[in-house]
Amino acid sequence: MTTPTLTADYLRKINAYWRAANYISVGQIYLYDNPLLKRPLQLSDVKPLVVSHWGTTPGQNFIYVHLNRAINKYDLNMFYVAGPGHGGPAIVGNVYLEGTWSEVYPNVAQDEAGLKELFKQFSFPGGISSHVAPTTPGSIHEGGELGYSLSHAFGAVFDNPGLIVACVIGDGEAETGPLATSWQSNKFLDAVTDGAVLPVLHLNGYKISNPTVLARIEGEELEQFLRGCGWAPIFVEGHDPDLMHECMATAMDSAIEQILSIQKQARDRQDPSRPRWPMIVLRSPKGWTGPKFVDGLQIEGTFRAHQVPMIVDSEHPEHVPLLENWMRSYKPDELFDANGRLIAELSALAPKGLHRMGANPHANGGMLLHDLIMPDYHEHAVTVTSPGAVLGQDCQVLGTFLRDVSKLNQAKRNFRVFGPDETLSNLLGAVFEVTNRQWDARELGNDEWLSPEGRVLDSMLSEHQCEGWLEGYLLTGRHGLFNSYEAFIRIIDSMFSQHAKWLKVCLELPWRRDISSLNYLLASHVWQQDHNGFTHQDPGFLDHVINKKADIVRVYLPPDANCLLSVFDHCLRSRNYVNVVVAGKHALPQWLSMDAAVVHCTEGIGIWQWASNDQGGEPDVVMACCGDTPTLEILAAVSILREHFPDLRIRVVNVVDLMKLQSCSEHPHGLNEVDYDSLFTTDKHIIFGFHGYASLVHRLTYRRTNRNLHVRGYKEEGTITTPFDMRVQNDLDRFHLVMDVIDRVPQLGNRGATLKQMLRDKLIEHKHYIEQHGQDMPEVRNWRWIPRKADQAGVVVAANLGPGYEPPHARVARRAS
């Protein structure tokens, strides 16, 4: 006969602890007062508005108490990720029972008054949310938006060889695209250098009002699916508590011992071969131990248990005794002493100190955060002797900088580059000079830079997984960046939103330590997708990002490589932000020396004096630009204007930090009114070339005095075409910009008519040329900003439309001679 895993005494105690967790969960959902039911329950003891989710909660309580047992038995470093985060009562209750909650929030003590406060604050104005939020010690995952638990768990264990993350996955969550993909994360886990994830797939059968797929397919099919994803599932099924405790304890021991055995073998033998990691499938009733029937309808084991299993309010006073009977079924008199404290023999079951899952420092990653060792980015500078004199590929330059960041921090193992198979495409391939792609599946002879251990995770074509891995990595105290095509970062719009919300709440919690910023590099951007076409053109992530709290978001559009280096050095050093950096990979003119770039990026916005001729007075027009391609076209337009209207006073303003446009009352980086007006004037026309949608600039500047703002940006035009034609189709090219100035500036009047006609002719010539030759005209491809000498009036003169072009005033002078 097989010896039971649990002794009879331990079975009694672990079941009692589970009852205590369930009791506290129900109390959080319903009770306003009378936390220990020392008197008969009354309607006034119930919250006026009861909002929560019960269905997943008892199952998660069951898992939590068994994880506690495993932590004690095997001396584990472990924390808990609640995929069904709407089961907040379970995690909050268990963190309270183990003592962590009271240490973090001393006003919620381990006594009757503390229990009352715990119950009242839950899903209550001025209290805590009903989900596993940043306010919950031990959490790195909110769970309100389903799908990311497993990728967060894997991100947490990368480079954490001593850590195990228990990840509970709801069967509703398992139907989401991100979660369905994240089962493949085990192909990227190195048993030697990384920790382990223990997934617990919780099948309780229902979502809000529908059955779940994985709960309704045959057991054989489910097992084949999980094994096909590379897992070794252990099944725990039933509803009888005593039998389920024994079964779960046995399954948990087996899973932990398999994990420890896999790691020992890999580390002792330095064996990187991919193992089949264990996981647990728990099938239990939805709303387990709750009301069986209410008003003639079955509750336990049905979708009706998903949220609040029964309404208790002034319209349903008959449910008050049902609630009391339900809560008394857990026998609270046997669980808590007269003062409301969990009795000693039960509190002894919880782990101690930092072994408690609510107190694990990895779940408050700033406690473990160490600064990166940073290279001197000046060493990677492009030598710029004069503005526009040399061409450079901005992302390629950044790649050498990131290579050195990776190299300097390899020993600390706290920096990674993430991306959906776009690291090479985005010209960051220099990182492969010092590291590999982490990959634990089969390798073939033609593969490049694949290894069980590497600093780059870009071998999975899933933006969701890269984002989830990176968030988990950052939240547990490390550093990294996500490089992506600009258009396809939109895939993780919601994930970004959830992370920004998480950071916002963390800043309000003094016990939450600072973490490294979430850094996005958006390359292969809208103006460089001429070869991929319309589907790859979408700069709208910027619009989405700026909707979040000003304390959190930062958006940078450096105009050249040296500015990109300065910006990214700042971003990698920053804390608690979401930094979005847009940069190109095509060869473009380089404008600023490194010293000038540092000054410009530090200010975030400024007048480019070398491109302006309004020194000592008011300009006639302001030519503003934000982004590498708009900067090129604005400067090309300026050179044309100066050729034809030498007396036109032009001011060129370049924006690196997009949030400088917003008022300082709205964003900490925003300019005050005086400084903004000093740059853009209060009444002169502003022709603004912008990287993204024009409406975004109008949104940011709607409070500004000068309403003569005319923004040219992406207009949802473009397909397979040339780089310059992309700008032409969206009216962001130099010719349209010049015509815009002529139309806006009154003093140009009839003088501009001839030039406008020439430019219209140029646009027709351009169209015919690209249709015949498949590339832009030489005068566009070869255009350079030429340093100029001031003429007698102090106005700068330059060639503008390309080699061989002769401006009208030069033609007149030649003919006269």
Side-chain angles (χ1 to χ4, degrees), residues 477-788:
R478 281 75 64 76
H479 308 259
L481 68 98
F482 185 161
N483 79 97
S484 173
Y485 282 17
E486 181 183 45
F488 301 133
I489 199 67
R490 302 305 307 272
I491 292 169
I492 53 87
D493 273 5
S494 292
M495 295 185 75
F496 149 76
S497 291
Q498 297 300 323
H499 189 76
K501 290 174 184 290
W502 182 278
L503 291 176
K504 186 262 184 188
V505 177
C506 285
L507 290 177
E508 300 166 358
L509 300 171
W511 60 271
R512 282 281 183 184
R513 303 290 183 85
D514 294 346
I515 64 169
S516 182
S517 297
L518 171 56
N519 299 307
Y520 293 104
L521 174 65
L522 308 186
S524 301
H525 60 56
V526 59
W527 303 109
Q528 298 179 354
Q529 284 298 335
D530 41 88
H531 61 296
N532 276 323
F534 198 41
T535 59
H536 286 54
Q537 298 160 6
D538 186 349
F541 190 63
L542 303 184
D543 299 67
H544 178 55
V545 166
I546 69 157
N547 290 321
K548 301 307 171 190
K549 297 295 290 187
D551 291 340
I552 303 299
V553 296
R554 304 288 184 267
V555 179
Y556 302 100
L557 295 99
D560 65 6
N562 287 341
C563 288
L564 177 60
L565 288 170
S566 177
V567 164
F568 231 91
D569 178 81
H570 165 74
C571 291
L572 290 178
R573 296 175 188 271
S574 68
R575 301 286 186 269
N576 300 325
Y577 295 142
V578 176
N579 296 310
V580 180
V581 182
V582 182
K585 63 183 185 181
H586 291 183
L588 290 177
Q590 302 296 301
W591 306 110
L592 302 182
S593 68
M594 181 52 78
D595 288 343
V598 171
V599 172
H600 185 47
C601 292
T602 302
E603 295 175 346
I605 188 172
I607 299 171
W608 279 3
Q609 298 287 357
W610 52 268
S612 306
N613 67 341
D614 67 320
Q615 291 83 358
E618 281 269 301
D620 297 316
V621 65
V622 177
M623 302 292 284
C625 44
C626 183
D628 54 7
T629 299
T631 298
L632 169 64
E633 291 304 314
I634 284 288
L635 289 173
V638 168
S639 68
I640 296 174
L641 288 167
R642 290 177 141 200
E643 286 283 345
H644 293 273
F645 310 114
D647 58 336
L648 184 68
R649 301 179 71 84
I650 302 170
R651 175 179 295 173
V652 176
V653 176
N654 184 264
V655 181
V656 178
D657 181 348
L658 183 63
M659 308 317 293
K660 289 289 181 181
L661 298 178
Q662 199 166 27
S663 170
C664 61
S665 65
E666 299 293 321
H667 195 283
H669 283 199
L671 294 176
N672 63 41
E673 298 303 320
V674 173
D675 289 342
Y676 182 90
D677 291 343
S678 71
L679 291 174
F680 291 102
T681 77
T682 59
D683 59 355
K684 296 299 189 291
H685 287 280
I686 306 165
I687 308 300
F688 199 125
F690 181 53
H691 172 87
Y693 294 110
S695 59
L696 178 53
V697 175
H698 286 291
R699 286 172 58 193
L700 293 172
T701 59
Y702 81 98
R703 289 188 173 185
R704 300 301 189 179
T705 302
N706 192 341
R707 310 312 301 163
N708 294 315
L709 175 64
H710 317 287
V711 186
R712 299 293 171 258
Y714 182 61
K715 296 167 53 178
E716 289 291 330
E717 295 291 344
T719 181
I720 304 296
T721 187
T722 67
F724 185 69
D725 193 54
M726 267 294 299
R727 304 163 208 165
V728 170
Q729 290 190 39
N730 290 277
D731 298 340
L732 185 59
D733 63 284
R734 59 203 69 178
F735 303 142
H736 278 102
L737 292 170
V738 170
M739 289 190 285
D740 211 359
V741 173
I742 294 171
D743 290 340
R744 306 287 181 185
V745 179
Q747 64 262 41
L748 295 182
N750 293 331
R751 290 195 297 158
T754 301
L755 179 57
K756 280 185 69 175
Q757 184 60 55
M758 291 173 53
L759 297 177
R760 291 192 191 101
D761 293 345
K762 273 291 175 187
L763 288 169
I764 294 172
E765 180 185 349
H766 151 76
K767 187 174 188 299
H768 292 325
Y769 188 93
I770 65 170
E771 288 176 353
Q772 180 179 356
H773 299 283
Q775 60 179 344
D776 289 319
M777 296 185 296
E779 62 198 64
V780 172
R781 299 198 313 270
N782 300 327
W783 179 87
R784 298 292 182 272
W785 178 272
I786 301 174
R788 296 152 295 179

Side-chain angles (χ1 to χ4, degrees), residues 270-308:
Q270 289 297 299
D271 179 7
S273 60
R274 180 167 66 92
R276 187 178 291 274
W277 294 93
M279 63 170 291
I280 293 173
V281 179
L282 171 64
R283 191 188 298 268
S284 65
K286 196 173 188 75
W288 195 12
T289 75
K292 302 293 188 290
F293 289 86
V294 175
D295 297 337
L297 296 175
Q298 183 180 343
I299 303 299
E300 184 188 55
T302 75
F303 67 88
R304 297 183 187 92
H306 180 76
Q307 295 177 330
V308 178

Side-chain angles (χ1 to χ4, degrees), residues 121 448 450 492 673:
Q121 70 176 4
E448 289 188 319
L450 297 183
I492 53 87
E673 298 303 320

